[in-house]
Amino acid sequence: MLFDTAAGDSVLPRPLAERRTPLPGVRGAELENASGDSIRSTGEVYSVDFVTGGKLLPGRLTAANAVQPILAAAHYCGPGGDYRATLDAKNPHLLHLPTKETYPLRWENGTLKLAAATCGAKEAKRVPARLSTAAATRVAAVPATRRLGKAEAQP
């Protein structure tokens, strides 16, 4: 599970959203990749909890054509969010500011991810948390269907 410091919105691949119920009355932002191309999205937003270490980390994700779920750091550490991210090499983590609980992260090949689960979702510790409500109309995410060709990738 990616924890992306550059993503403007958290995304859930559309196949993973199929058996879930979207949050009523909540719409996600329009998504685009770093090149400015649109990413297809249903606009529906889902509440999904993720186990990192032994804790449940809440998520609010927009269903989109993405290859994997992505959590946007802005949802946790942005205006109104209850977290602070520490991205050091040996102990990356999220700190839940009201309770001082830490959520482990890990580096894998230069990419920040949630730490491996040490228990199941039913056994994981739930901490009441508030995610950022900062609104955006167009945000960057990672597309699922388009890869740059050699000519496009070179400056």
Side-chain angles (χ1 to χ4, degrees):
M1 164 66 67
L2 289 177
F3 187 78
D4 195 332
T5 58
D9 199 7
S10 296
V11 296
L12 183 68
R14 289 170 66 175
L16 296 178
E18 288 176 356
R19 294 191 186 120
R20 299 179 181 276
T21 302
L23 296 171
V26 180
R27 298 295 293 169
E30 292 181 40
L31 304 174
E32 62 183 34
N33 63 22
S35 299
D37 297 327
S38 291
I39 297 173
R40 290 185 59 190
S41 167
T42 66
E44 296 173 324
V45 176
Y46 297 82
S47 177
V48 182
D49 291 336
F50 298 94
V51 180
T52 180
K55 297 183 181 138
L56 278 178
L57 184 65
R60 193 175 56 239
L61 297 86
T62 301
N65 284 4
V67 294
Q68 64 184 322
I70 300 170
L71 296 180
H75 279 182
Y76 298 88
C77 306
D82 277 351
Y83 296 87
R84 178 182 311 149
T86 299
L87 308 179
D88 63 52
K90 293 186 180 188
N91 184 28
H93 63 275
L94 286 174
L95 173 66
H96 183 244
L97 296 169
T99 64
K100 306 302 183 215
E101 291 279 346
T102 60
Y103 292 74
L105 302 171
R106 66 184 168 91
W107 290 104
E108 183 180 300
N109 299 325
T111 302
L112 195 58
K113 297 186 175 189
L114 297 185
T118 59
C119 63
K122 290 183 180 179
E123 296 81 30
K125 182 175 183 177
R126 180 178 298 276
V127 175
R130 188 169 36 110
L131 300 179
S132 172
T133 57
T137 56
R138 288 189 70 81
V139 296
V142 178
T145 58
R146 185 169 183 266
R147 292 180 186 238
L148 292 178
K150 288 183 181 179
E152 292 176 282
Q154 296 177 1

